[in-house]
């Protein structure tokens, strides 16, 4: 699909009243991490960023957040790393504009598979619930490896679908099908990452998110029941460039 069409369709979802009913004006659009004490969507989204930030070395000085959405996650990352330059990247010019309006210092229009940065310029590449969309995830992983400095890392919160149909085949390339966390770790190693970790966190993310959606929009219960089984695994993953 041409990238303009993709961005326009995605923007329509992210700005849809139903999305806004769940996320309000938080500037997030993710499932979130529903660990202990989390009571609502906003807190779950914050918790997800905090968890991923904990995987990034404290001395990182340049962090690229690929698929930055409306920028809330990028901004929270910046709070964790006040000394670092944090750049948001997105395929959608509208979302990039929104991210800048919401306080992200630098956000750029870019496709994850063609990052407009030089070789070995980033300390960390983050993809927070976005790599499932990239065309393809594998191409992105190679591209991230190119822009990472030796010793730099990639940090991912990613979604592995068993059925793309209920979510939308246009936004989930079939080439991104991966069987599970072990196969996901294998892909990262094959691309060239070291110290790879991939863990299944479905029960702390997708499962409680679907529950929260049912509670927030009981009128859409049937639809949520229909698409919940479409996701096989939600994974957190880490890899380092040697
Ligand atoms: C589920 S949203 C996550 C947004 C944000 N990371 C958050 O947590 O709120 C996925 C994001 O990936 C972006 N995206 C999808 N395909 C992309 C691509 N090829 N390159 C860059 N960004 C992309 C979408 O526009 C969207 O902002």
């Amino acid at each position: 699909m041409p990238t303009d069409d993709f961005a326009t369709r995605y923007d329509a979802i992210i700005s849809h009243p139903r999305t806004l009913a769940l996320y309000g004006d938080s500037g997030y659009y993710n499932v979130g991490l529903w660990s202990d004490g989390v009571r609502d969507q906003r807190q779950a989204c914050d918790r997800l960023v905090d968890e991923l930030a904990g995987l990034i070395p404290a001395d990182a000085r340049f962090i690229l957040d690929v698929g930055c959405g409306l920028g809330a996650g990028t901004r929270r990352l910046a709070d964790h790393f006040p000394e670092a330059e944090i750049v948001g990247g997105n395929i959608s010019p509208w979302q990039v504009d929104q991210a800048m309006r919401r306080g992200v210092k630098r956000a750029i229009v870019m496709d994850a598979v063609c990052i407009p940065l030089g070789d070995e310029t980033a300390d960390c590449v983050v993809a927070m619930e976005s790599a499932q969309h990239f065309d393809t995830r594998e191409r992105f992983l190679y591209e991230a490896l190119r822009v990472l400095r030796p010793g730099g890392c990639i940090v991912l919160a990613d979604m592995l679908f068993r059925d793309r149909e209920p979510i939308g085949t246009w936004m989930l390339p079939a080439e991104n099908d991966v069987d599970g966390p072990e196969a996901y770790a294998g892909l990262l190693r094959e691309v060239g990452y070291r110290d790879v970790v991939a863990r299944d966190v479905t029960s702390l993310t997708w499962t409680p998110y679907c529950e929260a959606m049912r509670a927030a929009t009981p009128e859409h219960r049937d639809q949520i029941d229909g698409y919940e089984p479409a996701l096989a695994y939600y994974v957190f993953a880490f890899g380092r460039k040697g």
Side-chain angles (χ1 to χ4, degrees):
M1 172 184 301
T3 53
D4 284 358
D5 291 356
F6 178 94
T8 307
R9 290 181 79 172
Y10 212 97
D11 293 350
I13 295 173
I14 231 172
S15 56
H16 193 277
R18 214 177 128 183
T19 310
L20 296 176
L22 197 63
Y23 292 92
D25 195 32
S26 69
Y28 279 118
Y29 182 52
N30 70 50
V31 163
L33 176 61
W34 297 75
S35 50
D36 288 347
V38 165
R39 287 184 311 277
D40 59 33
Q41 187 63 50
R42 170 68 196 243
Q43 285 181 0
C45 293
D46 280 345
R47 192 65 67 86
L48 175 64
V49 182
D50 297 348
E51 182 76 15
L52 298 183
L55 301 175
I56 302 172
D59 61 355
R61 287 293 171 269
F62 187 100
I63 301 171
L64 177 67
D65 179 16
V66 185
C68 65
L70 303 175
T74 320
R75 233 180 32 209
R76 195 165 174 95
L77 273 180
D79 292 342
H80 281 277
F81 297 92
E83 309 279 301
E85 181 175 9
I86 319 281
V87 177
N90 207 303
I91 201 155
S92 153
W94 177 76
Q95 290 181 54
V96 163
D97 183 54
Q98 286 292 313
M100 300 280 285
R101 284 170 195 264
R102 289 165 186 275
V104 173
K105 289 214 177 96
R106 189 174 157 211
I108 49 181
V109 179
M110 51 158 271
D111 188 329
V113 302
C114 187
I115 299 174
L117 293 177
D119 296 356
E120 304 192 345
T121 48
D123 297 304
C124 181
V125 175
V126 179
M128 206 184 301
E129 274 187 35
S130 47
Q132 69 276 9
H133 298 307
F134 300 160
D135 193 6
T136 62
R137 176 192 286 117
E138 183 175 335
R139 286 175 68 199
F140 159 68
L141 292 175
Y142 278 109
E143 187 63 346
L145 194 66
R146 177 187 69 76
V147 303
L148 282 172
R149 293 188 223 282
C153 64
I154 188 164
V155 170
L156 303 128
D158 207 345
M159 305 170 89
L160 311 184
F161 289 92
R162 61 165 68 85
D163 182 4
R164 298 177 305 123
E165 209 59 64
I167 310 291
T169 52
W170 64 271
M171 61 152 81
L172 300 170
E175 293 86 344
N176 289 350
D177 285 357
V178 176
D179 274 346
E182 277 178 31
Y184 195 92
L187 173 63
L188 282 165
R189 287 192 196 98
E190 213 176 284
V191 169
Y193 293 92
R194 297 183 181 174
D195 304 333
V196 170
V197 180
R199 65 184 177 112
D200 174 20
V201 288
T202 314
S203 64
L204 291 171
T205 52
W206 185 245
T207 309
Y209 170 75
C210 290
E211 266 316 302
M213 292 259 286
R214 282 188 194 92
T217 57
E219 68 279 20
H220 297 302
R221 179 171 275 273
D222 287 351
Q223 197 185 348
I224 298 161
D225 288 351
Y227 70 62
E228 182 171 7
L231 184 101
Y233 296 99
Y234 189 116
V235 294
F236 287 161
F238 174 92
R240 195 186 307 283
K241 179 167 176 170

